[in-house]
Amino acid sequence: MSPSQQSEPPDISSHTPDPSPQVIRLPRLALVGVVLLFFGVCFPALSWPAAFGWLFIVPIAVAFWVLRVRTTVSSEGLAMRRVLGSDQLTWDEVKGIHFPDRRWARVVLNDKTEKSLPLVRFDRLPVLAAASGGRITDPYAAAAEADTTPEDEE
């Protein structure tokens, strides 16, 4: 078979899940807020440095948080980076994921302990489902499939 006759893989469509690792983090645009915070801190800190000079630590800490905290989801597992420390989990260790009281997602491990997934909210569930390689179900896709009834197909 000549190279021109070999079949090519289909292009990735919107219905094909992207199996590549997905990084969930704050957008870099959040650093604009850090700059505004820095300017707000400048007025008292520069007017009386002996008393308010320590306020410069606040925008530095917020910038560090924006740049460091993230959750990476791949077909191998989950990697969580927090301000202090990080964790890596394989999918064999994960029993499930839940969302308590409108907060960040929590992953439930096989030993029934829980760990938080930084910056992962319920609206990121399709991204988690695609990057996990099917280990996490997408409730939006399941609801869309449930909406197609036999009456709709006729």
Side-chain angles (χ1 to χ4, degrees):
M1 189 184 276
S2 68
S4 63
Q5 294 176 343
Q6 291 179 353
S7 64
E8 295 179 18
D11 293 333
I12 295 176
S13 71
S14 62
H15 302 291
T16 307
D18 186 13
S20 63
Q22 297 291 320
V23 179
I24 300 171
R25 62 177 160 211
L26 286 173
R28 298 293 182 240
L29 190 59
L31 292 174
V32 172
V34 173
V35 170
L36 293 174
L37 179 63
F38 178 77
F39 283 129
V41 164
C42 278
F43 295 111
L46 293 177
S47 66
W48 194 8
F52 297 114
W54 61 271
L55 286 175
F56 284 119
I57 295 172
V58 175
I60 293 170
V62 172
F64 184 73
W65 181 76
V66 166
L67 295 172
R68 175 147 171 88
V69 174
R70 69 186 61 176
T71 298
T72 305
V73 184
S74 67
S75 58
E76 289 84 33
L78 298 163
M80 294 87 63
R81 269 181 40 181
R82 295 177 186 82
V83 174
L84 300 173
S86 60
D87 289 319
Q88 289 191 333
L89 300 171
T90 62
W91 288 114
D92 295 333
E93 299 174 73
V94 176
K95 184 176 182 181
I97 293 178
H98 72 100
F99 298 86
D101 301 327
R102 300 178 189 219
R103 292 183 289 174
W104 290 344
R106 296 190 62 83
V107 62
V108 180
L109 305 177
N110 289 331
D111 61 358
K112 297 185 182 172
T113 59
E114 294 182 0
K115 294 187 181 217
S116 67
L117 295 176
L119 304 175
V120 177
R121 304 288 300 231
F122 191 77
D123 62 336
R124 294 298 202 147
L125 210 44
V127 174
L128 284 171
S132 71
R135 290 177 183 88
I136 298 173
T137 57
D138 182 2
Y140 298 114
E145 287 178 17
D147 284 344
T148 51
T149 61
E151 297 170 359
D152 294 338
E153 294 175 359
E154 292 177 4

